Amino acid sequence: MCGIVGYIGARPAAGLLLSGLESLEYRGYDSAGIAVMENEKISVAKEKGRLAGLREVLDTSPLSGNIGIGHTRWATHGVPSVKNSHPHTNTDGTIAVVHNGIIENHEALKDYLQKKGYSFKSETDTEVIPHLIDYYYDGDLLSAVRKAAEKLDGSYAIGVISSKEPDKIVAVRKDSPLIVGLGKDGNFIASDIPAILSETKDVYLLNDNEFVTLTKSGVAITDADAKPIEKEIFKVQFSAQASQKEGYDHFMLKEIHEQPVAIRNTLRGRLDKDLKLNLDNLKFSDDIEKLYIVACGTAYHAGLVGKKAIETLAKLPCEVCLASEFRYGDPLINKNTAVLVVSQSGETADTLAVLRMAKKLGNTVYAITNVVGSSVAREADYVFYTYAGPEIAVASTKAYTTQLVAFYLFAIHLAELKNTVRQSELDDMKNELLHLDEVVSDILKSDDEIKKLAADIAGERDIYFLGRGLDYFVAMEASLKLKEISYIHSDAYASGELKHGPIALIENGTVVISICTNPEISNKLNSNVKEVTARGAKTIGFTACLSDTAAYNEIIKLPQVDPLLAPLPAIIPLQLLAYHVCTAKGFDVDKPRNLAKSVTVE
Ligand code: AGP
C-alpha cells in the first residue's frame, strides 16, 4: 500500500510533489521518489526510508521542471531499497511510472517481456508496467497505457509521464484509490485528498478503469473503451488544516481529542434533540434474517460491539467475521442474509473483496466508512458515513468510536423498524447517545493518572487485558492499540477463559489490566482478577463498578453509562494509555514499524 502524486502546471513540480508525498507518508514510508520532466527529458530521484531522505537527495541535486510524479512506498514485492523504489522506468528512461497496488500476474508478464528482450533492474511487481507501456507504445501514450492496463491483474493506481509526449500525465486506477485535483495553476493526481488539499478543494473521484490525461490546460477522463466521461467536481468539505496536527504532538493525540466533535458530527442530521432518528436512506428488508458484519482490525472490534447492539435492540442475528477469513471461508450467504462492511479507509483490500463477493452473490451490502468517495463507499448499496474527519495516525481512534456510534444508530433504527423494544427504552438510549460527547470530553480533561500509569508499565514485556461480554471486546481493542504502537506483547482474554489456559502465563509482577463497565457481571470479573492477583499479577482495573475494588492494585475510574453504550467511553483512557506508553518508550506514535494506515493489498 503506497501513496502516489502527480503535478502538471505552471509551477516547479518537485516541491509540490514532496509536499503531497508528505501528506501521503502515512500510507507507507519504506522509500520515496519523484520523476520530473525537464527539457523533454525525465530525471528521477529516489531514496530508501522516509521522505526526509529524498529531500536531502534533492537538496544536493535539485530537479527542475513543471511536470512530475511522486511515490512513497510500503513494500510488498522487493525489500525497501533505492533499486526497488518508485518511480520505475523503461529501459531507455523515456517512460516513468508510480504505482500503488499489487500486480498479481507480474511474474508471467516479466517472463513475457524478458523474452521480448526487456531487462529488469528491480525485484518489484511494478517494474513490469513501464516496460509494458513501452512495448505497446506506438505514438499514443494514453492508448499504450490502456493496452498495458488490460494486461494487468491485481490492483493499481498508476501515474505515468513520458518524454515521448512530454506535456502530459496519464493515470488510471483499479482497486486502488486515485483522485484528480483541479488547481488554479495546474492539475494533480493523488492517492487521496489530503495530499492536494492545500492546493485545491475541487477534485474528481475516479472509479475503477477510468483513465485520466492531465495537461497544463485541462483534464480528460475516458473509460476502458476510450469513451469520454463527464465528471461532477467533488468539493472537499474538510480543510487542509484538518489534516494537520493543529498543535498536538502527534496525529494520534489530536485524533483522540477530536472524538467529542467526531461523535457530534456523526450524530448530526441523524439524531436530533427531539430524539427523532433519521436513517431513512438505510432501507432494510424484512426478509433479512441474518447480518454478516465483516471488517479487519479495529473495525472488526467495532463490529463485535455492533453485533451486541443490533442483537439486543433489533433481535437480528449477527455474525462478525474477519474479512480475510470470510472471503475464503465459503460463507452461507443467501437471499435472507445481508452484509455490513466496516472500514475507516474504505480501501482495505480484504474488506473491499468481501463487499464485491457479497454483491456478486446478490446480497445487499451496507457499509460504515469514514472516507467519502472511497471504493467501499461507492460500491456499497447503502453507506453510513462516520464524520470523524481525516484519520492520519495508523492507530485508529476516532474512527473506532464513530463506528460505534454508527452501529448504535443502526441498531436503534432497526429496532424502531421492527418494533422490538419499547420506544421509551430506545428514547432513553438515544438521549444518552446524544450526551456521549460530553462524557468523552470529561474523560479527556485530565489524563495525568493515565500518563503516570503509562510510565509505570512502559518497561513491561507482556501486558494482558481482561473483560467479560462487551468489556472483552473493549479489551481486544485496548490490546491492539497498545501492541501496534508500543510493540509490547499484549493479548486480550475473556476473563472466564483464564482458567482454560491463559492463567499459566501469569508470573510474579505480570501486568493485568481489566475492564469492567457492567455491574451485573462485575463480581464475576473481580473473582477472575483475584485469581491472577493470587499468582502475583499487578492488577489495574478500568472500572465503572466501584462497589468492590479490593481485587485491584490500582483503579482508573470509568463513567457510568448504559452498559450497551459503555464500550465507547471505556476505550478513551485505554487509547490514551497506549499513546503515553508509546511516547514514554520514544517510538513513532503515528507511523509504527511494519504498519500502514490502510492495507490496500491482501
Ligand atoms: C487499527 O488501529 C489498525 N491500524 C488496523 O487494525 C485497522 O483498523 C485495520 O487495518 C482496518 O482498516 P480500515 O478500517 O481502514 O479497513
Side-chain angles (χ1 to χ4, degrees), residues 173 343-347 369 371-379 385:
R173 65 153 281 179
S343 175
Q344 186 284 132
S345 62
E347 301 298 346
T369 185
V371 179
V372 179
S374 62
S375 302
V376 160
R378 278 180 278 143
E379 298 184 32
Y385 284 119

Side-chain angles (χ1 to χ4, degrees), residues 296-299 342-346 348 394-396 403 480-481 484 599:
C296 302
T298 286
V342 189
S343 175
Q344 186 284 132
S345 62
T348 296
V394 165
S396 184
Q403 285 160 4
L480 174 60
K481 287 284 97 49
E484 70 175 324
V599 184

Side-chain angles (χ1 to χ4, degrees), residues 199-212:
E199 295 298 328
T200 179
K201 293 191 175 188
D202 291 347
V203 304
Y204 287 136
L205 303 172
L206 293 182
N207 291 312
D208 280 354
N209 306 311
E210 289 182 346
F211 294 76
V212 60

Side-chain angles (χ1 to χ4, degrees), residues 462-466 489-491 493 505-506 510-513:
D462 308 297
I463 293 179
Y464 300 113
F465 290 81
L466 302 182
H489 167 254
S490 173
D491 273 318
Y493 297 111
L505 295 169
I506 305 302
T510 304
V511 172
V512 176
I513 296 174

